[in-house]
Amino acid sequence: MADPDIRDNADAKRYELPVEGEIAVVTYNLSPPNLMITETLVPVKLEGRGIASRLAKYVIEDARARGLLILPVCPFFSAYFQKHPEHADVVHPTYRQILGL
C-alpha cells in the first residue's frame, strides 16, 4: 500500500490515520465483494489538509487490490468519486449509475 501511516482496523471496521495525536477514520461495513463506506471523520483541527482525500486514495487502492466493490454511502466518498471518475471501476455498478460515473 502507498501510505504506511494508514491501517485497516478490521475489528473496529475502520481505516485509521493518526495525525498529531488525533485519528482520522473511514468507517465501513465489509460484506465481500462489497465494501460499504459509511462515514469519513476528520478531527476539526486537522480539516483542510487533504487528510480525507489521503484516506480515500488508500481505501480505493486497498479495495481494488482485494477485489472489492465500494458502496459510497458516505457523502465525502460520493463526492470524491464524482471528482475522480477514473476510479469508477472500483465503485459498485448501482452507485456508478447514481453518481453518474
Side-chain angles (χ1 to χ4, degrees):
M1 288 293 132
D3 199 322
D5 296 331
I6 298 173
R7 74 181 200 103
D8 178 3
N9 182 342
D11 292 338
K13 296 184 178 171
R14 65 188 205 170
Y15 291 89
E16 302 173 338
L17 173 57
V19 180
E20 296 169 11
E22 304 275 340
I23 298 180
V25 301
V26 171
T27 60
Y28 65 82
N29 287 311
L30 177 61
S31 178
N34 297 322
L35 179 65
M36 180 183 287
I37 303 300
T38 53
E39 202 169 21
T40 302
L41 299 166
V42 176
V44 174
K45 77 177 207 176
L46 301 177
E47 285 178 359
R49 291 166 51 181
I51 289 170
S53 293
R54 186 172 155 193
L55 277 159
K57 287 176 196 158
Y58 182 91
V59 171
I60 290 165
E61 192 178 298
D62 188 47
R64 191 175 280 133
R66 293 164 61 190
L68 299 172
L69 288 172
I70 293 176
L71 286 73
V73 176
C74 163
F76 174 80
F77 264 77
S78 293
Y80 188 88
F81 282 120
Q82 287 175 314
K83 286 183 201 147
H84 300 278
E86 68 272 17
H87 298 301
D89 64 294
V90 81
V91 178
H92 189 280
T94 303
Y95 282 86
R96 267 183 235 161
Q97 227 174 353
I98 292 168
L99 299 173
L101 301 174

